[in-house]
Amino acid sequence: MARPQMLKLREVLTEIGMSRAAFYRMRARGQAPRLRKLPNGQVRVSRADLDAWWESCAENAA
């Protein structure tokens, strides 16, 4: 079974066109995709979580 694609925060920020500060403000309000912290302290976002977040943004905008 294939492992889910995990994106670095930098990749996510580039894809959604947002600064790190704005992303963390959204995260504090509970409006950002889920972050997963690795044992070495780095964070990742799964592709599935990011896609689901995009879908929820589209639904909220409609």
Side-chain angles (χ1 to χ4, degrees), residues 47-57:
R47 168 54 65 188
D49 287 345
L50 182 59
D51 291 344
W53 177 77
W54 272 121
E55 286 298 318
S56 72
C57 289

Side-chain angles (χ1 to χ4, degrees), residues 17-60:
M18 185 178 288
S19 71
R20 182 180 297 262
F23 180 86
Y24 277 104
R25 283 192 302 270
M26 283 183 66
R27 184 169 182 257
R29 294 189 305 260
Q31 299 173 332
R34 181 176 158 210
L35 292 180
R36 298 172 192 235
K37 194 167 190 177
L38 301 177
N40 64 3
Q42 296 179 359
V43 293
R44 298 286 188 270
V45 177
S46 76
R47 168 54 65 188
D49 287 345
L50 182 59
D51 291 344
W53 177 77
W54 272 121
E55 286 298 318
S56 72
C57 289
E59 290 170 5
N60 291 338

